[in-house]
Amino acid sequence: MSNSKHTSRQFDTELEAVRERVLMMGGLVESQIRLALEALIGNDIALMNRVIADDHRVNALEVEIDEQCTRIIARRQPAANDLRMVMTIIKTIADLERIGDEAKKIAYMARDLSHREHIHLPRYTEIRHAAKLVLDMLHKSLDSFARLDLASVAHVVRQDELVDNEFRAILRYLVTFMMEDPRTISNALEILFIAKAIERMGDHAQNMAEYMVYMVKGRDARHISAEEIEREIQEETMP
Amino acid sequence: MSNSKHTSRQFDTELEAVRERVLMMGGLVESQIRLALEALIGNDIALMNRVIADDHRVNALEVEIDEQCTRIIARRQPAANDLRMVMTIIKTIADLERIGDEAKKIAYMARDLSHREHIHLPRYTEIRHAAKLVLDMLHKSLDSFARLDLASVAHVVRQDELVDNEFRAILRYLVTFMMEDPRTISNALEILFIAKAIERMGDHAQNMAEYMVYMVKGRDARHISAEEIEREIQEETMP
């Protein structure tokens, strides 16, 4: 009995350590997004290079956390809630890694742009706004993970619709821009891909929020609407 | 002893059933890609709608296989090779689901295009070629999964470079197209996004191939080059 208690405490400590590592990885990814945007907007080549160089840290964390999770499953044979937590972590870090990848891509594209003539560049107001939304989504998803709290999950799903709308607005704006002056086409496309990268980050942050429903409620919330998620969350929290 | 043998045989049967389900999901995704391209090239709206409607089958398979895997871990507490297999399946189906998603997006974009004037559409030769490469990559990855054989993994990673090159060629071609006649910009962008969707499918097929190295060798092959993967595979197969 005391032995099993000991094992269980050890297990809790291990799981807590992994959870902290996930949050650390999340913080790093948030910073990568922020720096990639700052580099783009400020045309800061040193910063672009730093974001590109730091992507390996995100990748290394994913591989490391993945290994920790497999080890926990093999040694501790977690059941029910704990197993759900481990499975959620495995999925969450895959999406985090891909958000990091998109940040790196933005830094690469910003570097491409910086080598070109700058006369015909559209402004970054909408890009900045979309990135702000995505950062907020990611932050809420990580917060939901940290506190095992579903309060903001449906909100994150709704915010992803705003990001998609923002992307479509950027697309329309760039089309007008390109039609007015076809010499801007190459630059405008680069910016379009940057917008696309941000839109994909939103998708990944949404995935992360949806895993939380599975983790806390034990039900899969992928492929369903924000309304259904809200119902799902309310069902058992009602008095 | 006979009881543990019985359990182990039951476990093998369960794992085999899940593996078959993954291959079934893979076959469905291959078919979704093929049909989405066929619908695009033949401007077949009924077929586009079918691809869009069938995406839920891919999603349902992912959720189902995911649950089966979690159940296997909870009940059978697999170790070493078997656990690696389960972890690989969990990752593989996430990529398969996203390939299916990209096929659905292609069907949506094809439908958008079909509602527009068709005078200014570039031809689909390169799109077709890129899609053929991606289908081959996916097929090789699934085959590697089915036979636990790493022979084609490095080849898949190399093919992804060809897909990326093909994407850049399509991009250049479309830029010329748009510059010559700015009225084509909207349509050309739609085709660019179709090319982008195909390029992403290639990334996911490459991920799947890389998981196989982990499954068979127990070492993580993400974030390393085709050459490193080849070394990794040869290391222990040499006499």
Side-chain angles (χ1 to χ4, degrees), chain A residues 86-176:
Chain A
V86 177
M87 300 310 259
T88 303
I89 290 174
I90 290 171
K91 286 178 194 299
T92 298
I93 57 173
D95 281 279
L96 274 179
E97 190 270 334
R98 278 157 201 189
I99 297 177
D101 232 34
E102 299 294 337
K104 183 184 69 177
K105 281 185 205 164
I106 289 175
Y108 270 122
M109 292 186 279
R111 214 167 59 176
D112 275 357
L113 276 170
S114 75
H115 296 319
R116 299 185 191 176
E117 287 180 63
H118 266 76
I119 343 165
H120 294 300
L121 274 187
R123 61 211 152 78
Y124 290 124
T125 325
E126 294 82 4
I127 293 273
R128 215 191 286 239
H129 185 229
K132 219 179 138 199
L133 276 170
V134 163
L135 273 168
D136 191 51
M137 288 172 70
L138 178 58
H139 198 78
K140 284 202 184 96
S141 292
L142 288 169
D143 201 51
S144 161
F145 176 83
R147 299 189 293 121
L148 298 182
D149 175 27
L150 299 182
S152 54
V153 168
H155 190 64
V156 170
V157 175
R158 288 229 172 73
Q159 268 183 304
D160 194 51
E161 288 166 27
L162 296 182
V163 174
D164 293 349
N165 289 341
E166 201 69 33
F167 174 73
R168 277 188 290 268
I170 294 171
L171 175 61
R172 278 192 303 272
Y173 167 69
L174 288 173
V175 168
T176 319

Side-chain angles (χ1 to χ4, degrees), chain A residues 28 32 50-60 97 100-102 104, chain B residues 223:
Chain A
L28 178 58
Q32 287 285 87
R50 185 178 142 196
V51 171
I52 293 166
D54 278 354
D55 184 53
H56 83 97
R57 290 175 55 206
V58 179
N59 297 343
E97 190 270 334
D101 232 34
E102 299 294 337
K104 183 184 69 177
Chain B
H223 319 302

Side-chain angles (χ1 to χ4, degrees), chain A residues 154-204:
Chain A
H155 190 64
V156 170
V157 175
R158 288 229 172 73
Q159 268 183 304
D160 194 51
E161 288 166 27
L162 296 182
V163 174
D164 293 349
N165 289 341
E166 201 69 33
F167 174 73
R168 277 188 290 268
I170 294 171
L171 175 61
R172 278 192 303 272
Y173 167 69
L174 288 173
V175 168
T176 319
F177 203 85
M178 289 187 265
M179 288 185 83
E180 273 170 17
D181 183 358
R183 287 171 304 168
T184 64
I185 288 178
S186 281
N187 282 353
L189 287 184
E190 205 79 53
I191 294 168
L192 185 58
F193 285 130
I194 291 173
K196 189 81 188 157
I198 295 171
E199 187 232 25
R200 297 204 71 92
M201 289 175 173
D203 292 344
H204 291 297

